[in-house]
Amino acid sequence: TYANFWRGCYKGIEQANIIIENIDIPNMSAAKRKSMLGQAIFMRAYFHYLLASHFGDIVLKTVPTTQLGTNFRVLKTSRREVYDFVLREMRQADTMVAPITQVGHTSIVTQTAVEAILARVCLTMAGNPINDASKYQEALFWANKVITSGAHRLNATPLAIYSNFPSTPNVPAPPAYSNVFTNNMQNNVTYGANNAEGIWDAAFLSKSNVTGAYANTGFVVTQQLGALMGITNNTLSGSFGQSNINTFGFSTGTYRSFARLYNLYEPGDLRRDWNISPYLFNGNTNGRAPILSVVITGGGGTGATATARVSNANRITSITVDNGGSGYTTAPTISFVSTAGSGATATAVVTAGRITAINIVNQGSGYPTSYDRPIGKWRREYETNLGGVTRLNNLTSCNFPIIRYADVLLMAAEADLQINGGTPSAQAVELYNQVRRRAFGASNPTLPMPGVDVVTFTMQDIMDERSRELCFEGVRRLDLIRWGTFTQVMQSIITSNTANAPGTLLAAANFTANNFVNNPVKFSLFPIPASEIIANNLLTQNPGW
């Protein structure tokens, strides 16, 4: 894995160097040549950023291999010097590439993509281990360029595709937040009303197959989002049978979240039940089976929802009211629908027409915990752009969001907080609130939302909000490193798992966190591939490896 990552980055650097070296040869317009050169300069810098942020000191390579002659023994360059190079190159690229409003899609490097990544690089440099606090100001500058461009906004309206799927009792409707990831699953890279949040995506092929139009190009689909990290749908039994898998897409549902993330979401935060799926697929009528759902019926009212939490002994220990609803004149009946467990009973408390509490009478036994909920961020049931080709079981063509507008808003808020000594400006609070408002269902995140808006925030709030918003998007590890909180968070994961994970899962759940806590110096960097050290004996291995 590490060797392929290293090799892939240097392959990208080599290709960019060749383009830069030969950009004047092809016959093209001056505008196209400038944009293409800008993209190549940016990509070369971006690959160097990926290498330095994951491997530390690396070889800085700015010429094609053909110019190295026969001596390929090259010394490492310090991570700080690599970052300085990355900044210079990306700043130059920002003046060369086209705006996304002109390009029209998210799969090519545009001005706002360069600026958003520049904000990310600056925050990386401002934090551990470089600790150049002056870069907070530059991070805010680049994030604000994206914001003030007016080119992007949070997707806050569900796609029409939702109406094509039957509703399932006790399964929540997808929130507008999910729009980003259904776009990924549907290969929608078109910039516009339904995809204004996307800034830069890693785009894959337009068909989830290896026998279609792209089979002989050498770029066969290898993406597994939704298939490996998706909602469990791996049974051929039941009345739905193979049709279920063909309709909703096969997935092993291998990856699960920790209770720490699940419990981090506040009542009413719609992102939780999208990111961490509340259902599995099985052979029932609609294919969806709620893992554990609190069912509220009667009482004369509507709209109330609640979440049950289960102990590591598989008993229901608490019920949180997410939405009190309205119009309740008597206490409604509380029941539970789940894939396992029985015997739990509870009663509701109604105050002024709203459900204000649900009290457990009997905890029951055998109920599924949050560890039984697979990751649901990329869902194959929305993988509709298949061109009539039957889905492959283990591969998809899902795109991946390298960076999107919500990330930029939170980076701007964080940089502002740091610049102002821990007291954010009113503008930063507004940006932070925009992300929260969309999470709680606002159709226009730029308008105030009483009960959701905050008047200030702390660095811990930023850390938590980035976890809730950007989980599974590949930024968390580097965030923890630059904040200097990696060991602290891994220790908290162990504590949370010990309190919440069923005994059969505890050792597996704590495996990675224990590794890191026992040797944080080693696991803060990836190892330099042994094959590279053999080929270039001037390279030295990272600590602990």
Side-chain angles (χ1 to χ4, degrees):
T1 298
Y2 299 125
N4 286 337
F5 182 26
W6 174 283
R7 186 179 300 115
C9 286
Y10 275 111
K11 181 178 179 180
I13 289 169
E14 177 73 0
Q15 292 171 332
N17 280 331
I18 291 170
I19 292 173
I20 294 167
E21 182 74 13
N22 296 282
I23 192 65
D24 291 330
I25 296 176
N27 181 21
M28 66 179 79
S29 69
K32 185 174 182 180
R33 193 186 315 274
K34 179 180 179 181
S35 178
M36 187 173 291
L37 177 59
Q39 292 174 58
I41 289 172
F42 171 83
M43 288 304 303
R44 179 174 68 178
Y46 182 68
F47 284 123
H48 277 102
Y49 167 71
L50 290 180
L51 285 164
S53 58
H54 288 89
F55 293 94
D57 300 347
I58 53 127
V59 173
L60 181 63
K61 191 170 185 294
T62 60
V63 296
T65 303
T66 52
Q67 294 188 17
L68 295 179
T70 59
N71 181 19
F72 302 109
R73 296 169 66 249
V74 185
L75 286 167
K76 286 182 180 180
T77 299
S78 73
R79 177 162 33 180
R80 174 61 195 252
E81 291 179 83
V82 174
Y83 286 154
D84 287 339
F85 166 80
V86 168
L87 282 184
R88 291 194 302 271
E89 296 285 287
M90 288 188 177
R91 290 169 188 150
Q92 180 184 357
D94 183 56
T95 66
M96 303 175 72
V97 300
I100 195 169
T101 51
Q102 178 180 322
V103 173
H105 56 95
T106 61
S107 65
I108 284 183
V109 175
T110 60
Q111 275 188 321
T112 47
V114 174
E115 291 156 5
I117 296 296
L118 270 164
R120 179 178 288 175
V121 173
C122 288
L123 282 183
T124 301
M125 296 182 69
N128 181 65
I130 305 300
N131 295 312
D132 181 355
S134 69
K135 291 298 184 289
Y136 284 120
Q137 190 69 58
E138 186 172 353
L140 182 58
F141 170 80
W142 291 114
N144 277 338
K145 285 204 73 171
V146 178
I147 295 166
T148 58
S149 73
H152 300 281
R153 64 179 182 276
L154 295 177
N155 293 343
T157 304
L159 293 176
I161 190 69
Y162 298 148
S163 63
N164 295 347
F165 293 94
S167 61
T168 304
N170 309 311
V171 170
Y177 169 77
S178 64
N179 183 314
V180 175
F181 313 105
T182 54
N183 277 333
N184 292 157
M185 191 55 72
Q186 294 166 9
N187 291 285
N188 180 18
V189 296
T190 303
Y191 167 78
N194 288 329
N195 194 20
E197 184 167 348
I199 296 178
W200 188 30
D201 294 329
F204 290 79
L205 298 185
S206 61
K207 293 183 175 64
S208 184
N209 71 98
V210 292
T211 58
Y214 302 99
N216 298 318
T217 63
F219 295 96
V220 177
V221 173
T222 57
Q223 176 64 276
Q224 292 183 294
L225 281 179
L228 184 63
M229 187 168 77
I231 300 174
T232 307
N233 189 24
N234 57 9
T235 177
L236 299 179
S237 63
S239 59
F240 236 36
Q242 181 65 48
S243 174
N244 181 24
I245 291 178
N246 288 341
T247 300
F248 296 110
F250 177 90
S251 178
T252 57
T254 300
Y255 292 102
R256 311 296 172 90
S257 74
F258 294 138
R260 184 183 187 279
L261 174 62
Y262 184 82
N263 293 331
L264 197 60
Y265 290 97
E266 301 169 51
D269 190 329
L270 302 177
R271 295 172 298 188
R272 186 197 66 194
D273 285 348
W274 181 265
N275 294 332
I276 309 170
S277 175
Y279 60 87
L280 310 174
F281 289 102
N282 66 8
N284 66 19
T285 304
N286 290 320
R288 300 175 182 90
I291 296 169
L292 175 58
S293 177
V294 180
V295 181
I296 303 172
T297 54
T302 59
T305 58
T307 297
R309 283 181 166 77
V310 178
S311 70
N312 55 5
N314 299 101
R315 298 177 180 275
I316 295 178
T317 55
S318 66
I319 301 174
T320 302
V321 177
D322 297 320
N323 186 332
S326 61
Y328 289 95
T329 55
T330 60
T333 300
I334 306 298
S335 59
F336 304 92
V337 174
S338 66
T339 54
S342 61
T345 57
T347 58
V349 176
V350 172
T351 305
R354 294 175 56 83
I355 297 177
T356 53
I358 298 178
N359 299 318
I360 297 170
V361 176
N362 190 321
Q363 293 183 337
S365 62
Y367 286 97
T369 70
S370 63
Y371 294 82
D372 292 296
R373 294 175 53 140
I375 293 169
K377 202 157 200 176
W378 293 276
R379 304 188 181 191
R380 296 198 70 182
E381 59 196 287
Y382 296 95
E383 185 185 21
T384 57
N385 187 20
L386 299 172
V389 179
T390 301
R391 292 175 174 87
L392 292 175
N393 273 357
N394 298 313
L395 301 173
T396 73
S397 57
C398 178
N399 300 332
F400 187 80
I402 299 173
I403 198 160
R404 57 188 177 88
Y405 190 56
D407 193 348
V408 174
L409 294 177
L410 292 175
M411 287 194 295
E414 178 183 347
D416 181 287
L417 178 73
Q418 294 287 359
I419 291 166
N420 290 296
T423 303
S425 69
Q427 175 63 19
V429 173
E430 168 60 22
L431 300 180
Y432 180 83
N433 277 331
Q434 285 183 25
V435 176
R436 284 182 55 82
R437 290 167 191 156
R438 198 263 298 271
F440 284 85
S443 59
N444 185 348
T446 65
L447 297 178
M449 193 173 185
V452 171
D453 286 358
V454 300
V455 296
T456 190
F457 59 85
T458 65
M459 192 61 210
Q460 186 61 55
D461 293 327
I462 284 285
M463 293 175 180
D464 291 346
E465 198 62 43
R466 287 183 65 82
S467 183
R468 289 185 286 256
E469 176 72 23
L470 302 169
C471 58
F472 316 124
E473 294 181 46
V475 297
R476 183 65 173 173
R477 183 177 183 276
L478 294 182
D479 277 350
L480 295 177
I481 289 172
R482 67 184 179 84
W483 292 329
T485 60
F486 211 158
T487 301
Q488 171 191 334
V489 169
M490 285 297 181
Q491 187 60 62
S492 72
I493 286 173
I494 295 170
T495 302
S496 176
N497 287 342
T498 302
N500 293 280
T504 55
L505 293 178
L506 184 57
N510 280 344
F511 183 81
T512 299
N514 276 326
N515 276 349
F516 187 90
V517 169
N518 290 332
N519 199 342
V521 173
K522 175 179 180 178
F523 290 105
S524 292
L525 289 175
F526 291 170
I528 306 297
S531 58
E532 296 296 317
I533 295 176
I534 292 171
N536 177 7
N537 60 12
L538 294 182
L539 294 180
T540 54
Q541 187 54 277
N542 285 329
W545 293 100

